[in-house]
Amino acid sequence: MRTTFDFAPLWRSTIGFDHLADLVDSTLRQATEDNYPPYNIERSGEDHYRISLAVAGFGVGDITVTAEQNALIIEGQKPETSAHEYLYHGIAARPFRRVFNLADYVQVKQASFQDGLLIIDLVREVPEAMKPRRIEIASGTSPTSQIEQQKAA
């Protein structure tokens, strides 16, 4: 299986996406790592997302959720208790750290714990200044004469 990508066609038609190759590379490295705990990523609307992690055996106090710029970090650590003698221990309670890369303007809205699932709701909120806007095209006058007219007004 080929694990390297040629981004040359992408670089010819984009500007400012230099971090894309690093993001793809780190994602490919994570794909071979441990997949614990299992999770789902849902899209519930144009700009609304939900991550659900199956964290059976963990309580609310055992999990930390940290939102950084363009990253969501979820960590779980159970306190050491050796009071039980297990005949069979099938519910995993090992420490974990899961990192999700977030696109620009994606923010965590809330996190909740329900039925053994950690549910994190995200939303993309693009500022008005960053949304597309129509640019008027002037006709009949040169750009310098327009600037002079604006200064005179």
Side-chain angles (χ1 to χ4, degrees):
M1 180 177 166
R2 184 177 168 186
T3 59
T4 59
F5 296 98
D6 180 18
F7 289 105
L10 181 66
W11 302 141
R12 287 192 295 260
S13 61
T14 61
I15 298 169
F17 289 92
D18 304 337
H19 67 285
L20 183 61
D22 295 334
L23 181 63
V24 170
D25 187 44
S26 69
T27 302
L28 287 174
R29 269 188 265 125
Q30 281 181 351
T32 60
E33 294 176 2
D34 188 20
N35 289 327
Y36 176 78
Y39 63 92
N40 292 333
I41 300 175
E42 305 169 51
R43 185 175 188 171
S44 57
E46 179 77 21
D47 293 322
H48 293 77
Y49 304 91
R50 173 174 280 179
I51 299 172
S52 303
L53 278 88
V55 289
F58 286 86
V60 175
D62 303 330
I63 300 171
T64 59
V65 178
T66 307
E68 295 180 1
Q69 182 177 1
N70 294 4
L72 173 65
I73 302 166
I74 303 167
E75 296 176 294
Q77 177 87 30
K78 292 269 311 173
E80 292 293 324
T81 58
S82 59
H84 302 291
E85 180 183 342
Y86 291 102
L87 300 178
Y88 174 75
H89 194 171
I91 299 174
R94 63 182 184 260
F96 67 88
R97 184 173 200 265
R98 174 77 54 196
V99 178
F100 295 94
N101 294 306
L102 304 178
D104 291 337
Y105 312 114
V106 173
Q107 298 176 354
V108 177
K109 280 299 173 188
Q110 69 177 8
S112 60
F113 195 81
Q114 175 183 347
D115 300 330
L117 293 176
L118 175 65
I119 300 169
I120 300 169
D121 291 315
L122 306 129
V123 66
R124 179 178 32 221
E125 294 177 342
V126 179
E128 286 296 322
M130 300 304 292
K131 290 183 180 176
R133 65 185 194 283
R134 183 175 290 275
I135 308 298
E136 285 294 321
I137 301 172
S139 62
T141 60
S142 69
T144 51
S145 65
Q146 287 179 349
I147 292 171
E148 291 170 3
Q149 289 175 359
Q150 289 176 354
K151 287 181 182 178

